[in-house]
Amino acid sequence: MQHDETRIDGVTEVTATSNIRARAHGGRAKCLQRLVRLGLPVPRTEALDVDLVRRIGQGHGPDAGAILGRFGPDALVSVRPSSGVGDWGGPPSILNVGMTDARREAIARDVGAQAADALYARFIQSYATHVARLNPDRFEDLDDVAAMLAAYEEQAEDPFPQDPARQLAAVLTSMARAWEGTTARLLRRAQGAPEDAGLGLVVQEMVLGVGDPERGESGSGVIQFVSSETGLPQVTGRYLRQSQGREALMRKAPALYLTQDARGPSLEERHPELLGELQTYGALCRNRLREEMQIEFTLSHGRLNILDAVRVKRSVRAAIRIAVSLATEGVIPEAEAVLRVPPRALLDVLHPRIDPEADLPAIATGIAASPGAATGRLVFSAADAQAAAAREEAVILVRRETTPGDVLGMHAARAILTERGGVSSHAAVIARGLGVPCVVGASEIAIDRRGRFFRTPDGSVHREGDTVTVDGSAGRVVAGAPRLLEAAFDDALITLLTWADERRDIGVRANCDTPDEAELARRFEAEGIGLCRTEHMFFDEGRLTVMREMIFAREDADRAHALDQLLPMQRDDFVRIFQIMAGRPVCIRLLDPPLHEFLPTDRPGMTDLAASLGLPLDEVEARIRSLSEFNPMLGMRGVRLGIAIPEIYEMQARAIFEAAVRTSPRMTPEVMIPLVSARREVELVKSRIDAVAARVRTESGVEFDYSLGVMVETPRAALRADEIAEYATFLSFGTNDLTQMTYGLSRDDAGRFMSAYLRERVFAEDPFLQLDTEGVGELLTMGAERGRRGRPDVTLSICGEHGGDPDSIAFCRAAGFDYVSCSPFRVPVARMAAAHLAIRDRGISTMAPPER
Amino acid sequence: MQHDETRIDGVTEVTATSNIRARAHGGRAKCLQRLVRLGLPVPRTEALDVDLVRRIGQGHGPDAGAILGRFGPDALVSVRPSSGVGDWGGPPSILNVGMTDARREAIARDVGAQAADALYARFIQSYATHVARLNPDRFEDLDDVAAMLAAYEEQAEDPFPQDPARQLAAVLTSMARAWEGTTARLLRRAQGAPEDAGLGLVVQEMVLGVGDPERGESGSGVIQFVSSETGLPQVTGRYLRQSQGREALMRKAPALYLTQDARGPSLEERHPELLGELQTYGALCRNRLREEMQIEFTLSHGRLNILDAVRVKRSVRAAIRIAVSLATEGVIPEAEAVLRVPPRALLDVLHPRIDPEADLPAIATGIAASPGAATGRLVFSAADAQAAAAREEAVILVRRETTPGDVLGMHAARAILTERGGVSSHAAVIARGLGVPCVVGASEIAIDRRGRFFRTPDGSVHREGDTVTVDGSAGRVVAGAPRLLEAAFDDALITLLTWADERRDIGVRANCDTPDEAELARRFEAEGIGLCRTEHMFFDEGRLTVMREMIFAREDADRAHALDQLLPMQRDDFVRIFQIMAGRPVCIRLLDPPLHEFLPTDRPGMTDLAASLGLPLDEVEARIRSLSEFNPMLGMRGVRLGIAIPEIYEMQARAIFEAAVRTSPRMTPEVMIPLVSARREVELVKSRIDAVAARVRTESGVEFDYSLGVMVETPRAALRADEIAEYATFLSFGTNDLTQMTYGLSRDDAGRFMSAYLRERVFAEDPFLQLDTEGVGELLTMGAERGRRGRPDVTLSICGEHGGDPDSIAFCRAAGFDYVSCSPFRVPVARMAAAHLAIRDRGISTMAPPER
C-alpha cells in the first residue's frame, strides 16, 4: 500500500515510538500503543489529539483526505472515541468508513458480493443514524444496499456520499460535536469527569472479518482470561464468524464458544493455534500491562488482528482476586494491589446483596442506612421479632422509628425498616453496629402498628407475615425473595487486608456492644474495641426489671440492692467480651443515655412496671413523667448521671475490674467517661473509680492496670481538652454527638429537612455521614492539639460513625490520631482506607492501572 | 499627763503626720488619722500594725505596760479591731481596759461611785466573756461589782487581774488569737477577704462618757446626716446620757433625740452648741473625706470627743442618692459617683421588694429567676391568668413548667412560680423579659393541676384563690400580702445613668418582643432593640388559629392564604414597636421555634383544633405527632424552617419592610436569621429577602434600607463566622443557645443536676447565668475575630441573657463588641457596668471611697 506520510498537525501514527500521551490522545490511543509495543498485530492506527478534535468540532478540521491518505487509496477505516483517563463515554464507533459503490465492487470481487453488501449496508445504517442523524427506524428492516441508499437519499435529500474523504470529514465532525452536546456533558459530569474533558479519536485501518471461507477463517470476537464475577482464571468471551467489531456479543448465533464446550462448536476445536495465539497475547497484557484485559480481535483469512483491549470489567470480588493474583505472581507490588481496591467497595462483598439480574420493583424506598440484603416475614414489634427469632423464623422488623427498647428485637431481626429517621438515627446506628441491613426514613409508607400492616402510596397493603427483602445497600424493599448473592470474606480479601495492615500507620478498632459484635470484630481483625457501650446490656428482659428498680429506688439501700444484682450480669458481659478479644484492648464507655430510656413509654408497659415494683400505676406514671426531658440529648445523661448518682459508675467500674481480674491473658481495660464538658467532672469520677480499683485489688489480691479517658462529644470538651487531659490518658472523639452539638442539629430530627439541605447544597454532604472537616473538624484538630499540650502522650482516637469513613480517616490521620473505631463491618474498609493513605504518602509506586 | 514616748516596734501614734497605712494598720486606724487631720477632737490613739498583732497572737508581743505608758499612768483605754480595707469583721471592742479596784476608787472620787461601778462592772463582764472566755450567763444578772469579781474568781479560779498591763496584754492576745480562729476565718472567707488577711488594732484613750452632771453634759452617741434608706439629708442617730460606746443604740431609754422632736427631749434643745459642733464635723467629713460618715462621739463634762467614724450604711437607693449628691456638689467627680454604685445593685431599686422588716416564713423556695416581688391570688393555668387579668385581678401563675403557649398567661400574671426548670428555663427567660417576678425549680411543691392546688412538704395545701407573695429576688414565696417597698427609678438614678452613658463605650440595647417591652426599653433608655423575637406575636388567640392553619396547610395555596392573614397582624406589631422606638434601631429575629410549639398538646386543645380546621381528630393527632421531635432544641427550627418553608420568612420580611415604610422617622430595620450553622443558609435566605425588599420598594414607591445579619448560636457559626460574615452585616451572639450547645446542656433540663454541679464545684457558676468565658467565651472571641476577618466593619453584639451580666459585658467589651442586648430591666445594670469598665480603663480618678 502507498502511504502518504505528510505531517498533519494533531495526527500521530500509533507506533511503538511515537509520542502518544493519554492526556493528549485519550486512553484508547495510549492503550493501543502499549499493545503495539508488546508486538501485538494491531492494524495501522492514527491518533487524533484532543485539540485537533476540538478544532474539528468548531469546523476548523484538517483535510480528511490527507488523513485517509495515510492508509493508502483503498483502505476502509474505523473511527473510535478515545476519551480521557477514566472511561468517560463518548460517541459510538463507526466502522467501514470509505465504503462506496466503487469500493463495494472491489471487495465483492475479493470476498464475494454478500460479504461486501453486508459491510456496505452496515456502514450506510450507522452513517445515516450517527452522522446524518436520520431516523434509524427507516433503516431497520432493510438489508438490501440499494434500498438503503434510496432510503438515505430520500430522507437526507442528498445522495449517499461517494467520496471517502467527505465521509470521514462528516464522521469526525459529527463525533466531535456529539462530545460537546449537553447530554454527553451531563453523562460525563455524572461520572466525575472534569467539565472541559477533551475527546481524542483513533482512526484505524479496517480488518474486514468477512472473507472467503476458502482462503481461511474470518470473523471477530472478544476474549478475557478471568471471570468478571469471581476474578478466578476462566476463558470468557465469544467469537462470531464473518462478523466485525463487537457483533459477537450482540448476535449470539451462530457464534462459536472459545474453548471446547459440550453445548456447541468452539474456536479451540476449529483453530487451536488461533486460541493459543490469543492466550499468549492475554498473558503478555497481564504481565506487561500488569492488568487483566479484554481483547477485541478480528480474523481475516486466518490472520489474527488485535483491534483494541480494555480492562476486564469486574465485580468488587473479582477486583480483589485479580489484584491479589497479580501481586502474588509478582506482576505488581503488594502496595499497588491494595491501592487497586477502593476501600468503600469492600462493603459490597462483606454483605449479601440482591442479584442484579433480579429486576424487581421496589415497594418502599428510603435511606440506605446499613448495607446488605436479607429476606424475611414482616413483623411490627420488637417483641414479635424476638418471638419469631426464638422459632428460628427470619423476620423483618418494621417500626415507625426505633428506641433503645427495640434493641433486642433488632438483634433478632434479619433486617430493619423504619418510616422515620436519617442515616444517623437510632435504627441506622444500631443496625450498622449489628451488621443488619436497614432502610430508614421510608416516609411514604404508612404503618398501622395495631393492624400490623403498612400501606404504600399506590394503596397496596403489606401485612404481618408477608415475605419481603430489604436491600440496605440501595435503600429499597422488594416483595418476595429474590436470589441473594452471598458475602465473600474470602482468602483473597484476607490476604489483601493483611497487606493493607502491613502498610497502614493508624490503628483501627471496632465499636462493639455485645459478645456477638466482638466476635465480628475479631473476624474482621479489629485491633481492639474502641467503643463498648454498656447501655444495651441492660435491655435484656431480666436485667431491665432490675434496672428499673434501680431507677425507681427512693432509698440508697434500694438502689444499692438493685445495683448489686446488676453487677454480676454486667461483669459476665465483660468477661465474655474480654475473652473474645483475647488481650486486645477494650475501651468501655460508662452508662450514657438518660435513665428514662429504660422506662416504658406505653400504658401496658407502665402497668407491668407498676406490678413488678408493687407501686400504684399513677405513681409510676408520675415518676416516669418527672424523668422525661425536653431535650434528652442535652439532658441528664453521661457523666452527669455519674456525678448525680455515683453508685452506677462505681458498679460499672467494679464489674469491669472484676472481669479483668478473671480474664486471661490479663488485659488493661480502658474506662471512658461520656459527655464531659468540664475538667472537674473527670477529676470527680476519676477519684471514685480509682477508689473502686483499689478496693478490687485488695479484695482479689490481683494487681491490674486500667486507664481512664474521656469521650469528647461536646464542643467545650474539645476546647478545654488541655485541662481535661490532665486527668485523662486518652481522648476519644465521639463525632456523632460532636456533630450534633456543633451544628445544633439532632440526627434523629434532621431527616425532615436534610434532603432539602442537600438539594439546596446548604450542606455538601450529610455531616453525619461524612465528617464536616471545616466545623467539627476544626474542633477535632483543636482538641487533639490541646489534648497533647495537656498530656504529650495522650492517646487520640475517634469512635463516632465517621470512624469508618475513608475521608474522615484521612482527616484523623493528618491530625495525628492513634486510631479510629467504627462498626465491625466498617473495619475492613477502615483498614484499607488507612493503608491507601499511608501508601500514597510514602510515595510507593502509585502508578494507576491502565484504564483501558 | 506623763507620756512615755519610747519607740515600740509596730506601735504608731495616730497623728496627722504619722505613717499610718490602711494596709498595715487597718481601715479603722487610717480613718482615725483622717479625722485627726481634719482637726476633729480624737482622743490619743495608738495603732498596732498587722505584723505586731500576728506576733502577739504567737506569744511574742511587746511589753503591754510600755504601750499603756504612752497614755500616762492613770489612763483607761479601749481596744478595737482595725481590719483590712473592706470590713472583714473582727473581735468585739473592749472598753475601759486598765480598770482596777484602785482606779475605781479614783474615778468614784471624781465622778461618783455609781458611775465608777458601772464602768468597772462593764469591763469585768466583757473581760470575763471575751478574754477569759467564761460563761457569760453567770454575769448576766449581776450588777454589783463585788459579786462580779467573786463570780470571776470562782470561775476563772484566779482573782480578777489588778495589773492594767496584764489586762491589756491579755486583751491583745485574746483579740489576736480570735482573728486566727476557724470561725473568724470562715466568716472572712464568706465576705471575700483573702485567706491571710491581717488584723490591726487601735488602742485609744477612754473618754468616759459618765461624769458629774454638775460639771457638764456626759454621754455618748452616734450621728449621721443622711437617711440610710433614702440617702436624703436627715440627721439620724441617738444620744444616751451617762453612757459609753454604742450603748445609745442598744438601750433606747433614756436616750435623747438628736434634733428637736415632739416625742421627747433632744440634744438640740439641751446643747444646741454640741449638735452644731457635730454638724460641722459631719460636713467636714463629707467634704474632705468625700463621704457620708456616721460619727461615734462621747461627751465628757461638756467636751466633745470623736471616737470613730464609719461610712453610713445605706440601701442601694440611698447609695445612689448620696453618690449623686456628692458629685452634684462637686465633692467627687461624676465618674466616681458612677463607680460608687455596683451595677448589679440597681436591680434592687428597679423592682418592688418585700419589706425586710416583714419576717415571714417561706411556703416555697426555689431559684430566684426574675427579680422583684408581687402579691396575688393563685391560679393554675395560663387561661385562668388571662381571665383574671381581664377582671383586673392580681394573680400568681403556678405551673409545673411553662411552654410558649403560656406566654399570654404570663403576661397577665403578676408573678410566676414553677415546679421545674432552672434560671434559663422558658419561664425564667420570659419572666425576666417581661420584668415579672419569677421563682422556678420549686421542686418541693407538688402541684395538682386538676385539683387547682399545690401541697408543700409540711403537708399544707395552697389553693386557687389563696393570696401569696412571690419574691423573685430571693427565690421564695410567702403566704399573704406583706408590705412591699416600691421601685425607685427616680431622678437620682436617672442622673447617675446619664453620667454612666456619657462615659461608656459599648452600646446597650434591650431584648423586647412586644410593644409593652419596647416601652420599658424606652423608659430605661436602651439605645435600640437588640433582639425582637417574633414567635410570641403568634400566640394571641386570633393569630394562633391562623398560625395553625398555616402549619397544617397541605397545599401551597392554603399556606399562602394563612400567611396573607398573618401579614397585616405582624406588620401592625412592627409599626407599633418602630413608633415606640422612634428611629432607634430594631433588630428583628425571624421565626425561630419549631412549629410544634404552636400546636396544642392536650386532648381538648386538639379537639378544638380539629373543629376549627374541619379535620377528623385522629388526623390532627397524627399530624401533631409527626411534627414532634426528639430534641426540639436541635430540630427543625430557625433558619431550617426558613429554608424548608421559605414563605414564612418572606411574609415576615414583607411585614417588616411594609412597617418600615409606614413609620416616621424612617428607620433601617435589622433582620436577623436564627440558628445558622453554614454560610449557604445565609446566602439562600438573603437572596429571598432581598427580593422581598425589592418588591416592597416597587409597590410602595418608597426607598428604604435594611440590614441583614445572623444570630450566632451554634458553635459552627462561631467557627465559620468569617464566611458567614460575607453575607451578614452583623453577627449577634445568642449566648443562651450557644452555651447549651457548647456544653451539650439543655437549660430546661439542667435543673435536675445543676445544684449538684454547683455544690461539687464542677461549674464555678451556672453557665446560663454567668458567661463561661473559658469555653463559650472562646467561641465568642473566635467568632468575633473571624467575623471581622470576613467583613472588617461587621457589627458585633450579644443578645443572650448574659447581655445584662457585668462580667459578660466586660468580656464582650474586651472582645471589641459594639453592643450588648439584654432584658429591659437589665438595661440600667448594663449601662452602669459598661460605664464602670470604661472609667476604670481610662484611669479616671478611681479612688475608692474611705471604707470606715
Side-chain angles (χ1 to χ4, degrees), chain B residues 74-95:
Chain B
D74 295 331
L76 298 184
V77 297
S78 64
V79 184
R80 298 175 196 247
S82 177
S83 57
V85 175
D87 183 4
W88 296 330
S93 301
I94 309 262
L95 309 186

Side-chain angles (χ1 to χ4, degrees), chain A residues 634 681 746 757 778 786, chain B residues 634 640 681 746 757 778 786:
Chain A
L634 310 176
E681 290 169 328
S746 153
Y757 260 54
E778 182 172 8
R786 293 176 183 194
Chain B
L634 309 175
R640 296 160 192 168
E681 290 169 330
S746 153
Y757 261 52
E778 183 172 5
R786 294 176 183 194

Side-chain angles (χ1 to χ4, degrees), chain B residues 443-566:
Chain B
S443 53
E444 288 177 349
I445 66 171
I447 297 176
D448 185 322
R449 196 162 59 91
R450 289 198 198 150
R452 303 189 173 190
F453 64 84
F454 67 82
R455 197 186 296 274
T456 52
D458 66 0
S460 66
V461 169
H462 303 270
R463 300 190 177 281
E464 184 175 71
D466 289 356
T467 295
V468 303
T469 299
V470 170
D471 180 348
S473 308
R476 65 193 181 124
V477 181
V478 300
R483 190 166 87 91
L484 298 186
L485 303 179
E486 278 311 300
F489 193 68
D490 59 13
D491 61 319
L493 177 52
I494 290 169
T495 302
L496 192 69
L497 286 170
T498 307
W499 295 343
D501 285 350
E502 287 164 8
R503 282 155 184 90
R504 69 183 158 85
D505 51 14
I506 182 169
V508 177
R509 295 197 193 177
N511 300 342
C512 302
D513 305 341
T514 62
D516 285 354
E517 289 172 17
E519 295 277 12
L520 264 182
R522 272 302 298 271
R523 184 170 159 219
F524 292 137
E525 294 189 52
E527 288 162 53
I529 293 179
L531 174 63
C532 177
R533 286 165 289 221
T534 48
E535 45 269 25
H536 300 141
M537 298 175 176
F538 296 114
F539 281 108
D540 200 89
E541 199 154 351
R543 301 176 180 193
L544 192 53
T545 305
V546 185
M547 189 71 184
R548 288 170 173 172
E549 281 172 22
M550 193 279 288
I551 295 169
F552 270 67
R554 284 210 185 268
E555 308 285 332
D556 285 352
D558 294 343
R559 173 172 296 136
H561 178 73
L563 286 166
D564 283 349
Q565 287 182 270
L566 289 171

Side-chain angles (χ1 to χ4, degrees), chain B residues 372-445:
Chain B
T375 301
R377 294 178 179 279
L378 294 173
V379 294
F380 290 82
S381 79
D384 290 343
Q386 284 180 264
R391 297 190 301 272
E392 301 197 347
E393 261 180 45
V395 293
I396 308 296
L397 176 60
V398 183
R399 302 283 287 154
R400 182 165 285 133
E401 69 231 352
T402 63
T403 64
D406 290 327
V407 168
L408 287 179
M410 296 170 78
H411 264 277
R414 296 291 169 92
I416 294 152
L417 169 64
T418 73
E419 184 185 330
R420 293 173 58 174
V423 284
S424 300
S425 62
H426 179 266
V429 173
I430 299 298
R432 282 197 292 277
L434 298 174
V436 171
C438 178
V439 173
V440 300
S443 53
E444 288 177 349
I445 66 171

